[in-house]
Amino acid sequence: MSSLGAEILVSVLSLTAITVMLYASRLRVSTQRVTILLIFVTLTGLYKYDHGERFEQHGFYNLLVFLAIYIPLNLVLGVLYVLWRKVDKFPAYFAVAVLVGGIYVSISLMHYRKVFDQGLRGSFDYSLDECTWSGRNVPAIDLLPAGTQNFWAGSMHCKSEPQRIDANIDENGVLTVHCETPGSNVLIDILPETREWPLRDKDIWSTCNHMVIERTQHLEYYNDIPFVLNDTTQTVVVRCGSSSTLVSRVAPSISKLPVYTPPQDSDTRTPNTTSIRVSPDILHSNRKSPNVIYLMLDAVSRRQFHRQLPRSAHILRTLHQPDVSQITELFRYHSVGFSTNNNTKAMFLGDIYPKKRNTLPIWAYFRDRGYITARVESGCEDWAKEYNGHNYPQQDFAVSNRSLDYELTAPFCLPEFYPSVGNPFGNFKGPYSIIARCLFGRYLHEWAFDYLYKLRRELRPQPAMPQKARKHRPYMITVALMEGHEGTGEVLRTLDDALAAFIKDMRDSGELDDTVLIIGGDHGLHMGLNFAYTQNGRIEHQNPFFAMSVPEWLHQFAGDYQANDNQEQAHPLALNEQRLTTPFELHHTFRVLAEWPEFSSDSWKRSLFYAQKKGRTCDEAGIGAGFCMCKTN
């Protein structure tokens, strides 16, 4: 049990004892009322002191956890007391019920313990000489039916809005709107492009969402006057009567996007002293740079992915297609820090504490090598500012402008979703809310996937294009999805349909033949009942989900290189499925992909394409001793 969980439990038991004493004692009614009033004032004071803005303690959410234990516990005690008074031989009946319930729970836990180890195409293998999760792993959280932890918060569906607006942006940037509400004026909110903003304008705690609101242009739409957007506008909000909708596009057009030339003082293309070059003699190798799509699921453990996203897990299994793509799931993928901070630094920078100033994220590494880079931030934050901002002495530096061709952030800062006043990280609105996260009648992530679909369609050469026009410009897209980051673990379920549809579309479109698709968490859930009170919760916290689909030609190249380089007989990706791995290996995997077909041998051997050391320890993997959850026998 964590110290915070113990504190909450002690508080619950203390208040429960007071409640029982108040009920059982023969105090005057006035004394009872004063005591209850003092309790209420105390809880109100705690809420006022910390209602969610202190991230480390999760403020008001801890109060909700307190109430989620206190109220059911006291209701059960009350019911038991009434039954004890009213029902003859109640102790005997109660003992039988406890016995039957205990047998049912024991059998169920044995089942879920086996389920915990299962994956997409295999399971956690205990027979190998590899580390295993420490402590007694009892997945009691699986006993709770879906929706149990936040059923009281309301529906997990977005409230549908009347579809009275038909709007689209054509290839010339002309916005056309048809409103079905007679007599209503059509208003257009042109959202600002955040890519060129300096770091100082992207502070998640004070400025970013306010800057979006302040820099949004509000114009009226007239049917008889063409509404032409400028070349860089990607998103607009169309409002008509009581209806609103979001319209997005990829701007500027790929055809107008020049090949990026990095400035000399920050060019990441340093010569490799020892490098590997793909041999033209290997028939199955591809000398073209592969596309890369990375979906980061914040705070999603391996088991939580399978628990709450069953449709997506089912579709992921089908990505194992001989001659097209191979799917790999890492069973011992271990986070290297408590929260997003250290884990994303490891994967995007390759270092938790970078010594060099102005360190650029990995997407700059891709852009410098001819990739088109794009990022979707569904939490209204800028990764470089939030997690590496201290590394840039000059806060007027626009990291996104240096490292990205496209960025979509502004729609997720709109006040309809992201609070513009008060606490932006509350429990009932915003990126960490415990209820469905909606914008204009749709799940927030659906708008993100809409834009991602348009990006893919724009970036990939279409069959109708003339052969000479089909230039290969590889792309690297990262998407941050926040549905897993909330204490109940229930909001993640809302992502399943859209994520499954995206994976299926990737499979059916044939894109996996030249695209590396990575879906993974930065860490598991680090709040809530399971994390606070069970060893299983702490194991899940340090075992984020990770799956990667690689094209068949890349899969075969990795196998051939491994066979020629050392004595390992099995495929490196298959070996790494059961070996201790971390976000550091993901970083070097990114570097190899960015440099393809000529890449650093050091990065290759530290990547997931190369078998990591058998029996690897936390110390060898760069995981601190106090944080290590995977212990060697």
Side-chain angles (χ1 to χ4, degrees), residues 32-87:
Q32 290 180 343
R33 289 175 177 173
V34 169
T35 305
I36 292 172
L37 180 62
L38 285 174
I39 293 172
F40 177 78
V41 169
T42 301
L43 293 175
T44 303
L46 289 171
Y47 166 73
K48 291 293 185 181
Y49 170 71
D50 182 2
H51 51 274
E53 292 177 355
R54 291 169 176 81
F55 176 79
E56 291 79 4
Q57 300 300 319
H58 292 282
F60 183 38
Y61 178 74
N62 294 328
L63 183 57
L64 290 178
V65 172
F66 170 86
L67 295 174
I69 301 174
Y70 171 78
I71 293 175
L73 174 62
N74 282 268
L75 286 175
V76 169
L77 291 176
V79 170
L80 291 176
Y81 176 76
V82 171
L83 292 174
W84 177 67
R85 293 291 301 270
K86 299 293 184 181
V87 178

Side-chain angles (χ1 to χ4, degrees), residues 1-13 57 62 65-66 69 526-534 538:
M1 184 186 300
S2 68
S3 59
L4 180 59
E7 291 169 3
I8 294 176
L9 187 58
V10 169
S11 301
V12 167
L13 295 177
Q57 300 300 319
N62 294 328
V65 172
F66 170 86
I69 301 174
H526 50 12
M527 51 182 160
L529 296 174
N530 196 35
F531 173 73
Y533 295 107
T534 72
R538 286 182 283 283

Side-chain angles (χ1 to χ4, degrees), residues 144-193:
L144 299 179
T148 300
Q149 295 189 72
N150 70 345
F151 72 93
W152 45 270
S155 172
M156 292 300 289
H157 299 281
C158 294
K159 183 179 179 181
S160 60
E161 296 185 5
Q163 297 298 316
R164 296 172 179 167
I165 301 174
D166 181 22
N168 65 81
I169 306 171
D170 68 17
E171 60 184 12
N172 297 315
V174 178
L175 173 66
T176 303
V177 180
H178 175 67
C179 177
E180 296 179 2
T181 305
S184 295
N185 292 336
V186 177
L187 303 177
I188 309 297
D189 296 343
I190 302 178
L191 304 187
E193 287 309 302

Side-chain angles (χ1 to χ4, degrees), residues 294 296 333 342-351 362 521-522 583-584 586-588 590:
Y294 175 46
M296 195 201 81
Y333 189 61
N342 286 1
N343 291 297
T344 53
K345 281 183 182 176
M347 67 178 72
F348 295 150
L349 301 177
D351 195 348
I362 193 65
D522 51 349
F584 288 117
L586 175 57
H587 174 78
H588 289 283
F590 281 140

Side-chain angles (χ1 to χ4, degrees), residues 230-250:
N230 67 41
D231 287 343
T232 60
T233 297
Q234 294 202 99
T235 51
V236 298
V237 178
V238 180
R239 305 182 188 274
C240 174
S242 60
S243 299
S244 300
T245 191
L246 186 71
V247 185
S248 66
R249 65 166 180 166
V250 177

Side-chain angles (χ1 to χ4, degrees), residues 416-538:
E416 286 86 350
F417 163 71
Y418 196 96
S420 58
V421 295
N423 174 26
F425 309 113
N427 293 283
F428 300 102
K429 188 177 182 180
Y432 302 155
S433 63
I434 62 175
I435 61 176
R437 301 170 188 180
C438 306
L439 181 64
F440 306 137
R442 301 179 69 195
Y443 290 124
L444 192 78
H445 58 255
E446 292 183 305
W447 298 112
F449 278 114
D450 279 357
Y451 180 75
L452 180 54
Y453 172 78
K454 292 170 183 174
L455 263 175
R456 290 163 51 215
R457 184 178 61 186
E458 181 83 11
L459 288 166
R460 297 189 69 82
Q462 300 302 312
M465 286 183 180
Q467 191 67 30
K468 291 183 179 180
R470 297 187 190 181
K471 295 181 179 180
H472 177 71
R473 294 195 65 182
Y475 52 86
M476 193 271 190
I477 303 171
T478 58
V479 182
L481 298 168
M482 304 293 293
E483 279 72 14
H485 192 135
E486 53 87 25
T488 71
E490 304 285 3
V491 175
L492 184 62
R493 289 185 294 121
T494 66
L495 179 64
D496 199 16
D497 287 347
L499 180 58
F502 165 77
I503 299 170
K504 183 177 183 297
D505 188 51
M506 287 288 296
R507 181 197 67 190
D508 295 346
S509 67
E511 293 174 60
L512 296 177
D513 182 55
D514 61 7
T515 301
V516 176
L517 172 64
I518 304 172
I519 301 176
D522 51 349
H523 54 83
L525 194 56
H526 50 12
M527 51 182 160
L529 296 174
N530 196 35
F531 173 73
Y533 295 107
T534 72
Q535 180 67 8
N536 169 264
R538 286 182 283 283

Side-chain angles (χ1 to χ4, degrees), residues 84-99:
W84 177 67
R85 293 291 301 270
K86 299 293 184 181
V87 178
D88 292 336
K89 299 181 180 179
F90 174 71
Y93 294 142
F94 180 71
V96 171
V98 170
L99 177 62

Side-chain angles (χ1 to χ4, degrees), residues 564-583:
N564 293 330
D565 185 67
N566 60 30
Q567 301 301 314
E568 298 275 13
Q569 298 299 314
H571 194 281
L573 287 172
L575 292 170
N576 285 334
E577 281 194 337
Q578 299 292 343
R579 294 185 178 177
L580 183 62
T581 52
T582 71

